Amino acid sequence: MLLPAKTEVARQLRRYRAWERMMLASPADVGVRATFEDSGYTLCVLMGKRCAREAADAAERYLRTTPVTYMQEQSERPRPVRAVRRGPPVTDRRSPSGRKTPSGAA
């Protein structure tokens, strides 16, 4: 995975935080809100995250650590849990003629 330059991450994070403060100071200003959302989107793309808040957190972690440590942290994320099969246990079944069939066949 390619990682962005730390200087660019720091610059975009500063930009995001500055527009966040301005948006919180004047939430009704449509122009400020649009620029804030644009800066959040840029940070999302840069950090590979779907949410601006997650991207800002990831940027802060990335700037605090080395690229190797950051990559290790990213690979240690919890994996999605596999679906658990519900129902009776699968055993050898017999066909109406009395022959054994594989557990997946009927």
Side-chain angles (χ1 to χ4, degrees), residues 89-104:
V90 178
T91 59
D92 287 335
R93 299 177 186 169
R94 296 196 179 265
S95 68
S97 64
R99 293 189 209 144
K100 278 190 168 183
T101 60
S103 60

Side-chain angles (χ1 to χ4, degrees), residues 1 43 66 75 78 102:
M1 177 175 151
L43 201 56
T66 65
S75 65

Side-chain angles (χ1 to χ4, degrees), residues 12-24 26-27 29-44 52-53 56:
Q12 291 299 330
L13 183 60
R14 279 192 311 272
R15 180 175 183 260
Y16 173 78
R17 294 294 185 207
W19 282 108
E20 181 181 39
R21 285 189 300 275
M22 284 192 266
M23 199 271 308
L24 291 172
S26 56
D29 188 336
V30 177
V32 170
R33 180 174 289 278
T35 307
F36 168 65
E37 290 174 358
D38 287 346
S39 68
Y41 177 77
T42 302
L43 201 56
C44 286
R53 186 126 349 244

Side-chain angles (χ1 to χ4, degrees), residues 22-82:
M22 284 192 266
M23 199 271 308
L24 291 172
S26 56
D29 188 336
V30 177
V32 170
R33 180 174 289 278
T35 307
F36 168 65
E37 290 174 358
D38 287 346
S39 68
Y41 177 77
T42 302
L43 201 56
C44 286
V45 171
L46 195 62
M47 298 309 298
K49 301 293 181 185
R50 293 180 139 189
C51 167
R53 186 126 349 244
E54 288 177 11
D57 291 342
E60 288 171 351
R61 276 194 313 275
Y62 178 59
L63 293 172
R64 279 194 311 263
T65 62
T66 65
V68 173
T69 306
Y70 179 77
M71 289 301 295
Q72 287 172 347
E73 287 177 1
Q74 293 301 305
S75 65
E76 292 172 0
R77 290 185 299 197
R79 305 265 188 240
V81 178
R82 295 179 73 194

